[in-house]
Amino acid sequence: GDLWFDPEEVAVLTQRVKAENNWLSLREVAPFLHVELKLVRFWMQTGRLQPVARFSRSIYFDRAAVAAFQQRLLRSQEVAQWLETSDTALSSWVRAGYLPVLSGKEAGQGKPYRFDREVIAQWSALYVTPGEARRILGTAHYMAFRQRVRRGEFVSPTPADMPDKFYYRVDLQRFLAALEQPL
């Protein structure tokens, strides 16, 4: 009653099934995403990456879903550039809970942080960083805007004692509109 299989045929069969279904194994996902295996496992535990099949100890993912997830991943440097801020300010906002991460120190995954592109886009739609505000307003008007924030005319979402501030985008737009009003 024993069945005997040629190991080479079994290996080819596994590869054929993966190819037919467009699957990646758990061990293939980590290099595909350029991350460590423990981070892939963390994303599985948090529901960010969902396997499509499990056989014995083997776990498989849909290649298209993993590729879509990869397209959403941003590193700290990319987010800092997008938000026109420094890595230090970015880290400060993450540690204070203002900016959600997919991985980083909070997840026990070390640096660099990894962010979800969609979440950063939503955050950027609500808030403006000092670098972006300075670019939009120019230095003189940016300093005037900051003075109005300090006086309480506009509110910063960050505490007064936090050195790395950001502002509500709607407040910046109101300030811009006031600048455009004729005297």
Side-chain angles (χ1 to χ4, degrees), residues 47-61:
R48 291 187 174 101
L49 280 176
Q50 296 292 324
V52 293
R54 293 176 189 257
F55 301 105
S56 183
R57 287 195 244 164
S58 299
I59 300 172
Y60 298 98
F61 297 84

Side-chain angles (χ1 to χ4, degrees), residues 136-157:
I136 292 169
L137 296 173
T139 301
H141 286 126
Y142 171 67
M143 298 308 272
F145 175 73
R146 277 188 31 189
Q147 287 300 323
R148 292 179 81 178
V149 170
R150 285 188 186 130
R151 288 194 306 256
E153 295 176 44
F154 298 114
V155 180
S156 173

Side-chain angles (χ1 to χ4, degrees), residues 5-19 60:
F5 297 96
D6 181 13
E8 291 174 14
E9 286 182 27
V10 171
V12 170
L13 179 62
T14 300
Q15 293 304 320
R16 188 176 306 141
V17 170
K18 284 175 31 187
Y60 298 98

